[in-house]
Amino acid sequence: MDKLLQYGRELLELELHEAQKLPARLGKDFVKACQLILSTKGKVVVSGIGKSGHIGKKIAASLASTGSPAFFMHPSEALHGDLGMVTENDVVILISYSGRAKEFQFILPILAGMNIPVIAITGGLDSPLALAAQAVLDISIEKEACPMGLAPTSSSTNTLLMGDALAIAVMRARGFKEEDFARSHPAGSLGAKLLNHVKDIMRKGDLIPSVPQSATVLDAMLELSRTGVGLVAICKDGNKIVGVFTDGDLRRLLLKHGTLQDKIIDVMTSPGYQIPETWKAVEALKSFNDHNITAAPVVNNHGELVGALNIHDLHQAGIG
């Protein structure tokens, strides 16, 4: 057990030691790499083989999700047709620790012929890849954390960190915001919070609890039971809200010896709290919390009843 802990700690210490050298290496080439990505009219094409390829896929995904359209291209597949996906408007990131990957020897002349700028992420600063690139990001290490010095460990970590630095620097330069991030992550919790509006998740049609102003408390109670929203809207002329009546209002009425035959217009809360359909769902949640309520009718720009929303609807949509 002690040996296992020792092995793990030694690896982490070695990788952290190598990674700590990276910030000082960022300079003109890093700025140039960012500018190439920011100015491209096409996509960022990332390529690497072996462990570099695995890291490259992550870098491409990070770029794509933070505002820089990108995709990963396997070097071997590139030599058998996939180079056709690269256009003269693109910028290419090639990853090779040695800078001497055989596949790149064939790819680099083609990219040069198309005047496509190349960003190299490499530890071989005098390699063919580095010499052919317009910007070179130095990920060189003194020692791999693997005790045999064979398995890419420190070098893979440096590659990953350099890719993250590139993606996030470009993201910040673009002024990329939470709403932009949510659009590329619509199924995530952030997407649910920032993209969903009240009108997207509210109850509609027959699921809207409402009774006319001529109704009795019994009518309202039956509507409360039918819909399970927690409130009923009292309306005139079909969809103009004049008040609301909640489960809590019903309990308090009965405790005060009110009857189910009472007119709803005499015991309702008028005009009652309402929320606009144009609000973001997260705004509705905040409003519920601020007013200590769990449900509200939803109105359009003309103040007409168009839906109903309760706290459970918000939670089911991944909000809150």
Side-chain angles (χ1 to χ4, degrees), residues 38-311:
L38 288 166
S39 63
T40 185
K41 297 178 181 178
K43 291 181 169 59
V44 182
V45 183
V46 184
S47 189
I49 200 161
K51 301 299 185 295
S52 294
H54 294 307
I55 302 299
K57 290 177 183 178
K58 193 274 180 186
I59 293 173
S62 295
L63 286 164
S65 68
T66 54
S68 300
F71 66 89
F72 179 80
M73 177 182 67
H74 195 284
S76 295
E77 297 298 333
L79 297 177
H80 295 277
D82 280 5
L83 264 175
M85 296 188 294
V86 183
T87 73
E88 59 185 8
N89 291 322
D90 297 333
V91 59
V92 175
I93 299 175
L94 298 181
I95 308 170
S96 168
Y97 184 74
S98 69
R100 302 178 186 278
K102 290 183 179 179
E103 292 83 358
F104 290 169
Q105 295 175 19
F106 299 99
I107 293 173
L108 284 168
I110 296 172
L111 297 178
M114 297 174 66
N115 292 317
I116 295 174
V118 172
I119 299 168
I121 300 181
T122 183
L125 302 185
D126 58 352
S127 66
L129 173 58
L131 296 175
Q134 280 68 51
V136 179
L137 304 182
D138 180 7
I139 55 165
S140 60
I141 59 169
E142 293 180 10
K143 183 180 181 181
E144 293 284 10
C146 167
M148 296 178 291
L150 299 175
T153 45
S154 299
S155 58
S156 294
T157 299
N158 275 13
T159 306
L160 177 64
L161 292 173
M162 188 63 78
D164 283 347
L166 191 61
I168 300 306
V170 170
M171 179 194 78
R172 295 178 68 176
R174 289 189 193 280
F176 198 77
K177 297 181 175 61
E178 282 187 339
E179 289 80 2
D180 302 310
F181 189 85
R183 274 188 280 274
S184 60
H185 298 75
S189 59
L190 181 62
K193 289 179 180 179
L194 296 180
L195 298 182
N196 279 325
H197 287 75
V198 168
K199 62 183 177 182
D200 299 322
I201 59 176
M202 69 184 186
R203 305 184 189 207
K204 305 172 184 176
D206 291 340
L207 298 179
I208 304 173
S210 66
V211 295
Q213 59 182 348
S214 60
T216 64
V217 172
L218 176 61
D219 297 323
M221 183 186 74
L222 294 174
E223 189 71 351
L224 285 168
S225 299
R226 182 185 73 84
T227 59
V229 174
L231 62 74
V232 58
I234 295 87
C235 300
K236 68 176 182 179
D237 301 329
N239 58 3
K240 290 289 186 179
I241 300 176
V242 294
V244 296
F245 190 74
T246 69
D247 287 332
D249 292 332
L250 176 61
R251 290 191 295 272
R252 286 185 287 272
L253 175 69
L254 296 178
L255 286 172
K256 293 179 180 178
H257 308 293
T259 72
L260 297 180
Q261 284 69 46
D262 288 347
K263 292 181 179 180
I264 195 66
I265 199 168
D266 294 331
V267 295
M268 68 184 185
T269 300
S270 180
Y273 189 71
Q274 306 159 24
I275 59 175
E277 64 176 346
T278 54
W279 270 10
K280 288 182 179 179
V282 69
E283 292 179 284
L285 178 62
K286 183 179 184 303
S287 180
F288 280 3
N289 292 333
D290 289 346
H291 291 85
N292 196 28
I293 59 175
T294 58
V298 181
V299 295
N300 61 18
N301 291 333
H302 303 292
E304 299 167 335
L305 178 67
V306 293
L309 186 73
N310 72 7
I311 196 74

